[in-house]
Amino acid sequence: MAKVIELNKSITDSNDRDAQKLREELKQKGVFLINLMSSPGSGKTTLLSSTIEDLKDKVNIAVLEADIDSDVDAVKIEKLGAKSVQVHTDGMCHMDAGMTKRGLEGMDLTGIKLAFLENVGNLICPAEFDTGAHKNVMILSVPEGDDKPLKYPLMFSMSDVLLITKTDAKPYFDFDIEACKERVLRLNPKIKIFPVSAETKEGMDAWEAWLLENLF
Amino acid sequence: MAKVIELNKSITDSNDRDAQKLREELKQKGVFLINLMSSPGSGKTTLLSSTIEDLKDKVNIAVLEADIDSDVDAVKIEKLGAKSVQVHTDGMCHMDAGMTKRGLEGMDLTGIKLAFLENVGNLICPAEFDTGAHKNVMILSVPEGDDKPLKYPLMFSMSDVLLITKTDAKPYFDFDIEACKERVLRLNPKIKIFPVSAETKEGMDAWEAWLLENLF
C-alpha cells in the first residue's frame, strides 16, 4: 500500500440548469444528442466516421467537433456527407451546456435526427460538466489499457455507454476485456458496453442498433 | 475548410510565484524535478519504471504519483525500489505548484538527486499550470496518432522534451515519426525529441543520458 495524500477542491455546478433546458429544447425538435468523450487518440473521429458511413442512408446526422485547435476532424466528417461544425474552446479542457448550445446554433438542424458532440479529448474534465446531451457515450481504446476505470472512475460512472474500441489491436496489447468490463460494471451497473472495431466493423452493428432504438 | 466558432475563457495565473519558489528550493537541495505529462494510457508509468530500472544504481530517484484515484502506479514504482508517494487530486485534472510542494513534503528527499512528478493523465490542463519542476517532459505514444501536435499545441509548445513511446507498436499503427517531429518542431524549435520503446529499450539510452547530464 503506497502512501496517499488527499487534496481538495471546490466545484461549481451552475451549468446544470442550462443543460436541462438545452436537453428539452433539442427533444422538442426531435434531435437526439450524444456527448462522445474519450482521451486523445482513442479514435473518436474514426468511430464517428465509421458510424456515419453505416447510418447516413437511414438518418440525417450532424456533428459538433470540439477541439482546442485545428479543424482536421470537422473536415474529415464533412467529407462523409454529414453536417459538421468545428468549435474551438480556446484552450478549455471540456465543453459545457452554453458552449454546446452556441455550437449547435452554428448549424441548421432541420431534418437532423441524430447529433454528436465530439467533446475535447480528455478523460477527466468533460465528465464534470453536463453538456445538455441526452446520452453520454465514452470510448476506451485497447492500447490505453484495462486499468483506466480504476484511475478515472467518474467518466465511467456517468456514461450510459462504453465503447471499447480498436479491438482489432488486441493481439498486440495486454488488455483483458472481461476484467475491464467487471471493473466498469462495479462502478456503473447500468452502463451498456460494446466492444467494437471501426477497422473490421466487428461489433458496430450492436452499437448502431442502440443508436437507432434511442432516436426520438 | 470547416466552419469554426471561437469560444473564450479567462485564465488566472496566481500559481506562477509559488512555482518559482519551489523550483529554487529544490535546486538548493540538489533535487532535479521533472514534470512528466501525457494523456491517459500513453505509458508514463511503464516509461518511468524502465528508466528507474536502468538508473537506480547511478542516482537516487523519487516519484510523486498524481492520480484522481487508486494507488496502482505508486505500488508499481515502490516495487522497483524507488521512493514513491501517491497524491490524490480529488477529481482535479492537473497538478499545480502548491499540490506538488505538499506531495513532496510527504517524503524524505535526503540524498535524492532526481525526482519525477507523474502528472494526471491529461494532454490539456497540466500544460497550463507551472508545477515548479525544472523541466517539462511529455509523452506521445504511437497508438495515439501523429496528429496530436495539431490538436493539443500548448503542451508541445511548453515541453522541454518529447518522448515518442511504444515505438515497438509502430508496425501496427499509421504513425509517421518524421511528420510528427516536423509538426512539433514548428511549434517548439528547441524541444528535444527521443523516440523510445520501454519494451525493447530502443532509444532509452539517449533519454537517460539527457537526464544524467541535467542533474544539479
Side-chain angles (χ1 to χ4, degrees):
Chain A
M1 177 71 189
K3 181 168 178 177
V4 173
I5 297 169
E6 305 286 344
L7 299 173
N8 300 315
K9 64 159 185 174
S10 61
I11 310 175
T12 60
D13 54 359
S14 58
N15 174 61
D16 289 358
R17 254 176 320 164
D18 293 348
Q20 193 51 34
K21 207 175 150 206
L22 177 60
R23 195 156 29 241
E24 282 161 19
E25 282 172 13
L26 289 170
K27 191 175 178 181
Q28 279 171 13
K29 289 182 187 161
V31 178
F32 178 60
L33 177 64
I34 298 265
N35 173 29
L36 186 62
M37 300 171 290
S38 80
S39 58
S42 66
K44 283 189 294 304
T45 312
T46 304
L47 187 279
L48 264 185
S49 300
S50 183
T51 305
I52 291 168
E53 271 173 12
D54 294 344
L55 295 185
K56 68 179 173 187
D57 294 336
K58 295 180 184 159
V59 57
N60 288 329
I61 302 174
V63 178
L64 184 59
E65 289 287 347
D67 270 306
I68 289 178
D69 209 343
S70 98
D71 66 351
V72 290
D73 291 342
V75 168
K76 274 186 211 157
I77 295 293
E78 273 188 351
K79 280 189 187 150
L80 299 172
K83 269 190 192 172
S84 179
V85 164
Q86 179 82 46
V87 168
H88 281 171
T89 63
D90 191 29
M92 260 180 88
C93 51
H94 64 273
M95 289 287 284
D96 63 21
M99 293 156 84
T100 305
K101 188 176 162 69
R102 283 174 59 193
L104 290 173
E105 284 168 359
M107 59 182 147
D108 179 8
L109 293 177
T110 313
I112 297 294
K113 292 280 170 204
L114 177 59
F116 291 95
L117 161 62
E118 186 179 334
N119 214 313
V120 181
N122 185 329
L123 216 48
I124 306 172
C125 320
E128 295 177 26
F129 294 87
D130 191 340
T131 58
H134 301 98
K135 296 284 181 190
N136 293 309
V137 176
M138 72 169 291
I139 289 178
L140 176 65
S141 67
V142 161
E144 291 171 74
D146 55 27
D147 63 344
K148 292 300 160 289
L150 302 174
K151 294 168 117 185
Y152 305 95
L154 183 61
M155 190 170 287
F156 290 88
S157 301
M158 57 74 78
S159 290
D160 300 291
V161 169
L162 166 64
L163 296 166
I164 301 179
T165 63
K166 305 190 190 175
T167 53
D168 52 291
K170 228 182 132 294
Y172 316 115
F173 291 92
D174 181 23
F175 189 105
D176 185 334
I177 287 196
E178 290 311 311
C180 183
K181 277 185 180 175
E182 253 184 59
R183 283 170 192 154
V184 173
L185 289 169
R186 218 173 298 142
L187 291 166
N188 182 352
K190 288 187 180 170
I191 197 168
K192 290 205 180 298
I193 304 177
F194 300 114
V196 300
S197 164
E199 203 72 37
T200 66
K201 294 277 184 191
E202 195 187 349
M204 290 293 289
D205 48 349
W207 150 244
E208 288 159 0
W210 179 88
L211 282 173
L212 295 176
E213 279 162 24
N214 277 276
L215 298 181
F216 296 126
Chain B
M1 177 69 189
K3 182 168 178 179
V4 174
I5 298 168
E6 305 286 344
L7 300 172
N8 300 315
K9 65 158 184 172
S10 62
I11 310 176
T12 59
D13 55 359
S14 58
N15 175 59
D16 289 358
R17 252 177 320 165
D18 293 347
Q20 193 51 35
K21 206 174 151 208
L22 178 59
R23 197 158 25 245
E24 283 162 19
E25 282 171 12
L26 289 170
K27 191 175 179 182
Q28 279 171 13
K29 289 183 187 161
V31 179
F32 178 59
L33 178 64
I34 299 264
N35 173 28
L36 186 62
M37 300 171 291
S38 81
S39 57
S42 67
K44 284 190 293 305
T45 312
T46 304
L47 188 279
L48 264 185
S49 300
S50 183
T51 305
I52 290 169
E53 272 172 13
D54 295 344
L55 295 186
K56 68 179 171 186
D57 295 335
K58 294 181 184 158
V59 57
N60 288 330
I61 303 174
V63 178
L64 184 58
E65 290 286 346
D67 270 304
I68 289 178
D69 209 342
S70 97
D71 65 350
V72 290
D73 291 343
V75 169
K76 275 186 210 155
I77 295 294
E78 273 188 351
K79 280 190 187 150
L80 299 171
K83 269 190 192 171
S84 178
V85 164
Q86 178 82 47
V87 168
H88 282 172
T89 63
D90 191 30
M92 260 182 89
C93 52
H94 65 273
M95 289 287 285
D96 63 20
M99 293 156 84
T100 305
K101 187 176 161 69
R102 282 175 58 193
L104 290 173
E105 283 168 357
M107 58 183 149
D108 178 10
L109 292 176
T110 311
I112 298 294
K113 292 280 170 204
L114 176 59
F116 292 94
L117 163 61
E118 185 179 333
N119 214 313
V120 182
N122 184 329
L123 217 49
I124 306 171
C125 320
E128 294 177 26
F129 293 86
D130 190 339
T131 58
H134 300 99
K135 296 284 181 188
N136 293 309
V137 175
M138 72 170 291
I139 289 177
L140 176 66
S141 68
V142 160
E144 291 173 74
D146 55 28
D147 63 344
K148 292 300 160 289
L150 302 174
K151 295 167 117 186
Y152 305 95
L154 182 61
M155 190 171 285
F156 290 88
S157 300
M158 56 75 79
S159 290
D160 301 290
V161 169
L162 166 64
L163 296 167
I164 302 179
T165 62
K166 303 189 190 176
T167 53
D168 52 291
K170 227 181 136 292
Y172 317 114
F173 291 91
D174 181 25
F175 188 105
D176 185 334
I177 287 196
E178 288 312 310
C180 182
K181 277 186 180 174
E182 253 184 61
R183 285 171 191 153
V184 173
L185 289 168
R186 218 174 298 142
L187 291 166
N188 182 353
K190 287 187 180 171
I191 197 168
K192 292 206 178 297
I193 304 177
F194 299 114
V196 299
S197 163
E199 202 72 37
T200 67
K201 295 276 184 192
E202 195 186 349
M204 289 293 289
D205 48 348
W207 151 243
E208 289 160 0
W210 179 88
L211 281 173
L212 295 177
E213 277 163 23
N214 276 276
L215 297 181
F216 296 127

Coordinates of all heavy atoms in Angstrom, one line a residue, chain B residues 112-145:
Chain B
I112 N 18.2 12.3 -2.5 CA 17.5 12.2 -3.8 C 18.1 13.3 -4.7 O 18.2 14.5 -4.4 CB 16.0 12.5 -3.6 CG1 15.4 11.4 -2.7 CG2 15.3 12.5 -5.0 CD1 15.4 10.0 -3.3
K113 N 18.5 12.8 -5.9 CA 19.1 13.7 -6.9 C 18.1 14.0 -8.1 O 18.2 14.9 -8.8 CB 20.4 13.1 -7.5 CG 21.5 13.1 -6.6 CD 22.2 14.4 -6.5 CE 23.2 14.5 -5.3 NZ 23.4 15.8 -4.9
L114 N 17.2 13.0 -8.3 CA 16.3 13.0 -9.4 C 14.9 12.7 -9.0 O 14.7 11.6 -8.3 CB 16.7 12.0 -10.5 CG 15.9 11.8 -11.7 CD1 15.7 13.1 -12.5 CD2 16.5 10.7 -12.6
A115 N 13.9 13.6 -9.2 CA 12.6 13.4 -8.8 C 11.6 13.5 -10.0 O 11.9 14.4 -10.8 CB 12.2 14.3 -7.6
F116 N 10.6 12.7 -10.1 CA 9.6 12.8 -11.1 C 8.3 13.1 -10.5 O 7.9 12.4 -9.5 CB 9.5 11.5 -11.9 CG 10.7 11.1 -12.8 CD1 11.7 10.3 -12.3 CD2 10.8 11.6 -14.0 CE1 12.8 9.9 -13.0 CE2 11.9 11.3 -14.8 CZ 12.9 10.4 -14.3
L117 N 7.6 14.0 -11.1 CA 6.2 14.2 -10.8 C 5.4 13.5 -12.0 O 5.5 14.0 -13.1 CB 5.8 15.7 -10.7 CG 4.3 16.0 -10.8 CD1 3.5 15.4 -9.7 CD2 4.1 17.5 -10.8
E118 N 4.7 12.4 -11.7 CA 3.9 11.9 -12.8 C 2.6 12.5 -12.7 O 1.7 12.2 -11.8 CB 3.8 10.3 -12.6 CG 3.0 9.7 -13.8 CD 2.9 8.2 -13.7 OE1 3.7 7.5 -13.1 OE2 1.9 7.7 -14.3
N119 N 2.3 13.5 -13.6 CA 1.1 14.3 -13.5 C -0.1 13.5 -13.9 O 0.0 12.4 -14.4 CB 1.3 15.5 -14.5 CG 0.7 16.8 -14.1 OD1 -0.5 16.8 -13.6 ND2 1.4 17.9 -14.1
V120 N -1.3 14.1 -13.7 CA -2.5 13.4 -14.0 C -2.6 13.2 -15.5 O -2.1 14.0 -16.3 CB -3.7 14.3 -13.6 CG1 -5.0 13.6 -13.9 CG2 -3.6 14.6 -12.1
G121 N -3.1 12.0 -16.0 CA -3.2 11.7 -17.4 C -4.1 12.6 -18.1 O -5.3 12.5 -18.0
N122 N -3.6 13.6 -18.9 CA -4.4 14.7 -19.4 C -3.5 15.5 -20.3 O -2.4 15.9 -19.9 CB -4.9 15.5 -18.3 CG -5.9 16.6 -18.7 OD1 -5.8 17.2 -19.8 ND2 -6.8 16.9 -17.9
L123 N -3.9 15.6 -21.6 CA -3.0 16.3 -22.6 C -3.3 17.8 -22.6 O -2.7 18.6 -23.4 CB -3.2 15.7 -23.9 CG -2.0 15.6 -24.9 CD1 -0.9 14.9 -24.2 CD2 -2.4 14.8 -26.1
I124 N -4.1 18.3 -21.7 CA -4.6 19.7 -21.8 C -4.2 20.5 -20.6 O -3.3 21.3 -20.6 CB -6.1 19.8 -22.1 CG1 -6.4 18.9 -23.3 CG2 -6.5 21.2 -22.3 CD1 -7.9 18.8 -23.5
C125 N -5.0 20.3 -19.5 CA -4.9 21.1 -18.3 C -3.5 21.2 -17.7 O -3.1 22.3 -17.3 CB -5.9 20.7 -17.3 SG -7.5 20.2 -18.0
P126 N -2.8 20.1 -17.6 CA -1.4 20.2 -16.9 C -0.5 21.2 -17.6 O 0.3 21.8 -17.0 CB -0.9 18.8 -17.0 CG -2.1 17.9 -17.0 CD -3.1 18.7 -17.8
A127 N -0.7 21.4 -18.9 CA 0.1 22.3 -19.7 C -0.1 23.8 -19.2 O 0.8 24.7 -19.5 CB -0.1 22.2 -21.2
E128 N -1.2 24.0 -18.5 CA -1.5 25.4 -18.2 C -1.0 25.8 -16.8 O -1.1 27.0 -16.4 CB -3.0 25.6 -18.2 CG -3.5 25.5 -19.6 CD -5.1 25.7 -19.6 OE1 -5.6 26.3 -18.7 OE2 -5.7 25.1 -20.5
F129 N -0.4 24.8 -16.0 CA -0.1 25.1 -14.6 C 1.4 24.7 -14.4 O 1.8 23.6 -14.5 CB -1.0 24.3 -13.7 CG -2.4 24.8 -13.7 CD1 -3.3 24.3 -14.7 CD2 -2.8 25.8 -12.9 CE1 -4.6 24.7 -14.7 CE2 -4.1 26.3 -12.9 CZ -5.0 25.7 -13.9
D130 N 2.2 25.7 -14.0 CA 3.6 25.5 -13.7 C 3.6 24.8 -12.4 O 3.0 25.2 -11.4 CB 4.3 26.9 -13.5 CG 5.8 26.8 -13.4 OD1 6.3 25.7 -13.0 OD2 6.5 27.8 -13.7
T131 N 4.3 23.6 -12.3 CA 4.3 22.8 -11.1 C 5.5 23.1 -10.2 O 5.6 22.6 -9.1 CB 4.4 21.3 -11.5 OG1 5.6 21.1 -12.3 CG2 3.2 20.8 -12.3
G132 N 6.4 23.9 -10.8 CA 7.7 24.1 -10.0 C 8.8 23.2 -10.5 O 9.9 23.2 -9.9
A133 N 8.5 22.4 -11.5 CA 9.5 21.4 -12.0 C 10.6 22.2 -12.7 O 10.4 23.3 -13.2 CB 8.9 20.4 -12.9
H134 N 11.8 21.6 -12.8 CA 12.9 22.3 -13.6 C 12.7 22.0 -15.1 O 13.2 22.9 -15.9 CB 14.2 21.8 -13.1 CG 14.5 22.1 -11.6 ND1 14.2 21.1 -10.6 CD2 14.8 23.2 -11.0 CE1 14.4 21.7 -9.5 NE2 14.8 23.0 -9.6
K135 N 12.2 20.9 -15.5 CA 12.0 20.6 -16.9 C 10.6 19.9 -17.0 O 10.2 19.1 -16.2 CB 13.1 19.6 -17.4 CG 14.5 20.2 -17.4 CD 14.7 21.2 -18.5 CE 16.2 21.7 -18.5 NZ 16.4 22.8 -19.4
N136 N 10.0 20.2 -18.1 CA 8.7 19.6 -18.5 C 9.0 18.6 -19.6 O 9.5 18.9 -20.6 CB 7.7 20.6 -19.0 CG 7.3 21.6 -17.9 OD1 6.9 21.2 -16.8 ND2 7.4 22.9 -18.2
V137 N 8.5 17.3 -19.3 CA 8.7 16.3 -20.3 C 7.3 15.7 -20.6 O 6.5 15.4 -19.7 CB 9.6 15.2 -19.7 CG1 9.7 14.0 -20.6 CG2 11.0 15.7 -19.4
M138 N 7.0 15.5 -21.9 CA 5.8 14.9 -22.3 C 6.0 13.7 -23.1 O 7.0 13.5 -23.7 CB 4.9 15.9 -23.1 CG 5.3 16.2 -24.4 SD 4.1 17.2 -25.4 CE 2.8 15.9 -25.5
I139 N 4.9 12.8 -23.0 CA 5.0 11.6 -23.8 C 3.8 11.6 -24.8 O 2.7 12.0 -24.5 CB 4.7 10.4 -22.8 CG1 5.9 10.2 -21.9 CG2 4.4 9.1 -23.6 CD1 5.8 9.1 -20.9
L140 N 4.2 11.2 -26.0 CA 3.1 10.9 -27.0 C 3.4 9.4 -27.5 O 4.5 9.1 -27.9 CB 3.2 11.8 -28.2 CG 2.2 11.5 -29.3 CD1 0.8 11.8 -28.9 CD2 2.5 12.4 -30.5
S141 N 2.4 8.6 -27.3 CA 2.6 7.2 -27.7 C 2.1 6.9 -29.1 O 1.2 7.6 -29.6 CB 1.9 6.2 -26.7 OG 0.5 6.4 -26.8
V142 N 2.8 6.0 -29.8 CA 2.4 5.7 -31.2 C 1.0 5.5 -31.4 O 0.4 6.0 -32.4 CB 3.4 4.6 -31.7 CG1 2.8 3.9 -32.9 CG2 4.8 5.1 -31.9
P143 N 0.3 4.7 -30.6 CA -1.2 4.4 -30.8 C -2.1 5.7 -30.8 O -3.2 5.7 -31.4 CB -1.6 3.4 -29.7 CG -0.3 2.8 -29.3 CD 0.7 3.8 -29.4
E144 N -1.6 6.8 -30.2 CA -2.4 8.0 -30.1 C -2.5 8.7 -31.4 O -3.4 9.5 -31.6 CB -1.8 8.9 -29.0 CG -2.0 8.4 -27.6 CD -1.2 9.3 -26.7 OE1 -1.7 10.4 -26.4 OE2 -0.2 8.9 -26.2
G145 N -1.5 8.6 -32.3 CA -1.6 9.2 -33.6 C -0.7 10.4 -33.7 O -0.4 11.1 -32.7

